[in-house]
Amino acid sequence: MPYQILVADDDPHIREIICFALEKAGMRTQGVADGAAALQAVERRAPDLVVLDIGMPEMDGLEVCRRLRQTSDVPVLFLSARDEEIDRILGLEMGGDDYVTKPFSPRELVARVNVILRRARPVAAETDERQFAHGRLVLTPSSHGARFDGQPLALTSIEFSILKGFLARPAHVLAREAVMANAYAANIHVSERTVDSHIRNIRAKLAAAGCTDAIETVHGVGFRLGRCGG
């Protein structure tokens, strides 16, 4: 089945460009012009990913994402006309998976969408129930399942990939570059602050589940998996 992508942007020209590029890549799209319509569309039929403009009037993309995250872990790719770090950090802390600044290359946007989708939907070849476990934290990649002490964790696709990278090498200290490599394609650049935001989100979600020692900071080097309640 083709991926279903919801594109929310108040600029009809931008919507048309994005939908055309995604459909050319074999996906199905639905375009909406405002945040309320985006929430209604997700409620009617959950898409595989939402491309969400931050600067929409009345209800901006950050508020849409905040409301989505109350009931859904659908992947979100933010768009913004402003290349300001605070917007990227806020978007990621709201639960976004990635961030693209306007004007953008349609090819790059499709590449970023594909990266997120590959993380979010297990590939067909991965049918075994192999698990990664450390302490009381367990990941099951084939079902994109994450649990701490038996309690499900609502991780975004990027957060899941980062955590999987740590569990695959639990005794290693990973530099930010290695953390990026676990979550993003090699030809996609993300800032160190972006990685820090994802780490902060993972820590917060695990802390809410009772795990206060999930990821440790090794100053001047990177990050290391903690005991995870073990």
Side-chain angles (χ1 to χ4, degrees), residues 102-121:
K102 301 176 183 177
F104 56 86
S105 158
R107 182 177 298 179
E108 180 189 1
L109 185 141
V110 170
R112 287 179 179 263
V113 165
N114 277 321
V115 168
I116 297 171
L117 290 172
R118 283 197 297 270
R119 306 296 188 191
R121 181 183 291 184

Side-chain angles (χ1 to χ4, degrees), residues 46-143:
D48 294 297
L49 182 142
V50 180
V51 178
L52 188 58
D53 179 35
I54 287 181
M56 291 184 293
E58 297 185 21
M59 185 189 302
D60 66 21
L62 295 176
E63 176 62 16
V64 174
C65 186
R66 186 188 70 79
R67 297 191 187 190
L68 280 176
R69 285 294 172 256
Q70 294 174 357
T71 59
S72 172
D73 61 355
V74 60
V76 171
L77 172 66
F78 279 115
L79 297 176
S80 178
R82 300 192 307 171
D83 187 17
E84 294 188 9
E85 189 172 53
I86 186 63
D87 285 343
R88 292 195 295 273
I89 300 304
L90 281 173
L92 294 170
E93 290 181 345
M94 286 285 186
D97 292 84
D98 204 352
Y99 187 107
V100 172
T101 303
K102 301 176 183 177
F104 56 86
S105 158
R107 182 177 298 179
E108 180 189 1
L109 185 141
V110 170
R112 287 179 179 263
V113 165
N114 277 321
V115 168
I116 297 171
L117 290 172
R118 283 197 297 270
R119 306 296 188 191
R121 181 183 291 184
V123 296
E126 192 172 31
T127 57
D128 66 283
E129 285 298 312
R130 181 171 53 118
Q131 293 183 331
F132 293 83
H134 183 76
R136 288 184 279 168
L137 177 64
V138 178
L139 299 187
T140 307
S142 61
S143 60

